[in-house]
């Protein structure tokens, strides 16, 4: 038993020694990779790419062709009795994504 534990410890020690020398810092991730809000949106996407990135269809709200505002209803779960949906408004200019805003809205039950 001792021999097996000693062998396992030696293997773990050799693996950790190969991964990174002692005293060095791991490479730093870019700031945007550490954000908790990692919505897969990027400026310049068209409406089809945006719908594919969000994984849901977009609903037209208003605007003339090329400068539309679309809505994506994001289902974020909620309790079993009251589903929680957040509204994500997407502004397109010249057919490209120019901005977005999440609207948490008012809960009708507490008014």
């Amino acid at each position: 038993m001792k021999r097996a534990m000693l062998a396992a410890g030696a293997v773990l020690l050799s693996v950790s020694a190969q991964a990174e020398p002692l005293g060095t810092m791991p490479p730093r991730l870019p700031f945007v990779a550490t954000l908790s809000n990692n919505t897969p949106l990027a400026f310049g996407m068209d409406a089809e790419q945006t719908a594919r990135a969000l994984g849901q269809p977009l609903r037209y709200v208003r605007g003339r062709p090329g400068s539309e505002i679309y809505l994506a209803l994001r289902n974020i779960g909620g309790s079993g009795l009251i589903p929680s949906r957040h509204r994500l408004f997407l502004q397109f200019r010249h057919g490209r994504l120019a901005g977005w805003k999440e609207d948490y809205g008012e809960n009708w039950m507490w008014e």
Side-chain angles (χ1 to χ4, degrees):
M1 183 69 175
K2 272 187 172 181
R3 188 173 281 179
M5 290 189 63
L6 184 61
V11 168
L12 287 174
L13 186 61
S14 68
V15 168
S16 66
Q18 291 173 356
E20 190 174 284
L22 190 63
T24 61
M25 302 268 308
R28 222 176 138 158
L29 296 173
F31 174 72
V32 294
T34 61
L35 297 175
S36 62
N37 181 12
N38 55 3
T39 305
L41 297 177
F43 294 109
M45 296 173 111
D46 63 10
E48 291 177 20
Q49 291 171 333
T50 305
R52 193 172 36 244
L54 292 173
Q56 55 191 282
L58 302 180
R59 297 178 182 166
Y60 173 80
V61 176
R62 65 182 169 126
R64 61 180 191 263
S67 294
E68 301 99 349
I69 295 176
Y70 286 100
L71 170 68
L73 289 175
R74 303 173 73 204
N75 186 7
I76 60 166
S79 69
L81 298 174
I82 304 169
S84 182
R85 288 185 172 162
H86 289 182
R87 299 173 291 190
L88 181 65
F89 290 96
L90 303 149
Q91 172 72 54
F92 288 85
R93 292 197 176 107
H94 304 290
R96 299 290 176 191
L97 184 62
W100 59 88
K101 177 185 176 187
E102 189 162 12
D103 180 21
Y104 298 99
E106 298 274 335
N107 188 346
W108 61 270
M109 184 170 269
W110 310 117
E111 290 181 354

